[in-house]
C-alpha cells in the first residue's frame, strides 16, 4: 500500500456505485482474481475523461474489458475506443462483456502483441490508457508518442509497483528486477522528455499522467 490504508478506505467509502454492468463485471473479475483498476484510479479516470472529452481512445491491456467499458461511459458517446489484448483466455470474456454492455459498436478489441499492433496503427488518439505488461511500458512509449495527438493525454497505471520502484534493485526480489529497472527507466523518460509534461501520483498503485506538449524533442 503506497498511501495510508485508512485514508484509502475512507476515500473509497465515499465512492458511489458504478453502473449495474460495471458492478457485475468488477465482482466477477475480483472473484476470478483478474486485476482491474482500483477504486481510486477509477474515480480519477472518470474525472479526467469528463474534463478531456476525448473522441478517440487507445487502451493497451484489455483484460476482461472493465476499464474500456468504464471509459465508454464517461467519454462522449461518439468516442471510439480501441483496446488491445494478448492473453487468449481473456479475449472472449472481454468481447462478451462489451456485448453485455451494448458497446460492441463503440469498442474495438484488437487481438495480439500490443507493440506489434501499435506499430501498424495509422490513426491518432486523444487519450491513451496504458495498463498492460509493466516491463514493456518503455518499449510502448515511442509508439504512444507517435499515436497521441498534440495536447493528448497518456495515463499509465501501476507505475510504483506497491512502492518497490523506489527501492534499490538489490532490495527487490530477483524475479522482479527487470520490471523494476524498466519502470524506473520509463518514469525517467517521461519526466525528462521535452515531448511530455508528466505528473507521477501515488494513487492506487501509482499513476503517471502525461500531456503531449510537442511532437518531437527540442
Amino acid at each position: 500500500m503506497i498511501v495510508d490504508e485508512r485514508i484509502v478506505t475512507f476515500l473509497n467509502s465515499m465512492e458511489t456505485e458504478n453502473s449495474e454492468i460495471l458492478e457485475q463485471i468488477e465482482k466477477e473479475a475480483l472473484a476470478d482474481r483478474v486485476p482491474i483498476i482500483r477504486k481510486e484510479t477509477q474515480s480519477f479516470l472518470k474525472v479526467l475523461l469528463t474534463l478531456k472529452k476525448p473522441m478517440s481512445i487507445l487502451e493497451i491491456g484489455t483484460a476482461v474489458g472493465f476499464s474500456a467499458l468504464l471509459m465508454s461511459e464517461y467519454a462522449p458517446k461518439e468516442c471510439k475506443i480501441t483496446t488491445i489484448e494478448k492473453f487468449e483466455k481473456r479475449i472472449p470474456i472481454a468481447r462478451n462483456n462489451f456485448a453485455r454492455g451494448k458497446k460492441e459498436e463503440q469498442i474495438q478489441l484488437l487481438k495480439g502483441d500490443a507493440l506489434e499492433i501499435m506499430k501498424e496503427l495509422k490513426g491518432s488518439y486523444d487519450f491513451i490508457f496504458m495498463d498492460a505488461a509493466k516491463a514493456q511500458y518503455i518499449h510502448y512509449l515511442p509508439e504512444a508518442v507517435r499515436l497521441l495527438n498534440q495536447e493528448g493525454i497518456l495515463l499509465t497505471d501501476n507505475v510504483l509497483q506497491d512502492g518497490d520502484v523506489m527501492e534499490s534493485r538489490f532490495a527487490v526480489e530477483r524475479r522482479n528486477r527487470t520490471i523494476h529497472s524498466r519502470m524506473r527507466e520509463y518514469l525517467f523518460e517521461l519526466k525528462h522528455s521535452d515531448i511530455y509534461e508528466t505528473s507521477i501520483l501515488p494513487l492506487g498503485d501509482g499513476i503517471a499522467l502525461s500531456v503531449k506538449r510537442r511532437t518531437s524533442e527540442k
Side-chain angles (χ1 to χ4, degrees):
M1 180 65 66
I2 299 169
V3 179
D4 185 279
E5 189 170 356
R6 291 178 63 210
I7 294 176
V8 173
T9 301
F10 170 70
L11 293 176
N12 287 345
S13 73
M14 293 191 291
E15 290 291 344
T16 57
E17 287 192 349
N18 287 315
S19 64
E20 184 177 351
I21 184 63
L22 285 175
E23 289 291 326
Q24 290 174 354
I25 293 170
E26 183 171 24
K27 287 177 183 177
E28 292 163 5
L30 294 175
D32 293 336
R33 297 188 176 183
V34 177
I36 60 173
I37 56 176
R38 302 185 189 189
K39 288 288 188 185
E40 53 270 35
T41 308
Q42 293 175 33
S43 181
F44 186 80
L45 184 55
K46 293 173 188 178
V47 172
L48 200 55
L49 291 169
T50 303
L51 287 170
K52 179 62 179 173
K53 296 179 175 59
M55 298 306 295
S56 53
I57 295 175
L58 174 64
E59 178 185 45
I60 305 166
T62 313
V64 295
F66 176 84
S67 51
L69 281 167
L70 183 144
M71 289 190 288
S72 75
E73 292 187 6
Y74 287 85
K77 290 182 179 180
E78 300 81 9
C79 175
K80 295 297 183 181
I81 299 172
T82 301
T83 182
I84 304 171
E85 180 57 50
K86 181 179 181 180
F87 191 21
E88 294 272 358
K89 184 178 178 180
R90 291 180 181 162
I91 290 169
I93 299 173
R95 291 193 193 279
N96 181 58
N97 286 336
F98 297 151
R100 290 166 67 189
K102 297 179 172 54
K103 298 288 185 174
E104 307 105 302
E105 297 299 319
Q106 187 176 7
I107 303 173
Q108 178 188 25
L109 194 159
L110 302 179
K111 172 185 171 182
D113 180 80
L115 185 56
E116 292 179 5
I117 290 174
M118 290 173 77
K119 287 179 178 179
E120 296 297 321
L121 292 175
K122 304 299 182 185
S124 58
Y125 299 88
D126 300 322
F127 192 99
I128 297 178
F129 182 45
M130 197 179 293
D131 186 19
K134 311 305 175 273
Q136 301 305 313
Y137 284 2
I138 188 64
H139 302 307
Y140 299 151
L141 188 57
E143 293 304 318
V145 171
R146 179 180 68 83
L147 292 168
L148 195 63
N149 290 326
Q150 193 157 346
E151 298 186 0
I153 289 175
L154 168 64
L155 184 66
T156 313
D157 200 14
N158 304 118
V159 299
L160 297 183
Q161 302 175 288
D162 286 323
D164 278 357
V165 75
M166 72 179 183
E167 303 291 348
S168 160
R169 70 184 303 271
F170 299 106
V172 177
E173 291 185 31
R174 186 180 296 273
R175 62 190 175 89
N176 293 330
R177 287 179 183 173
T178 298
I179 296 175
H180 175 269
S181 61
R182 288 184 181 177
M183 186 61 77
R184 281 194 165 200
E185 183 183 358
Y186 178 74
L187 295 177
F188 183 90
E189 179 66 25
L190 285 181
K191 290 296 293 183
H192 291 81
S193 171
D194 287 332
I195 297 174
Y196 289 105
E197 188 66 42
T198 297
S199 178
I200 302 169
L201 305 171
L203 182 73
D205 192 23
I207 59 172
L209 175 61
S210 307
V211 179
K212 186 175 180 179
R213 301 171 59 191
R214 51 181 64 88
T215 57
S216 61
E217 299 280 1
K218 288 182 179 178

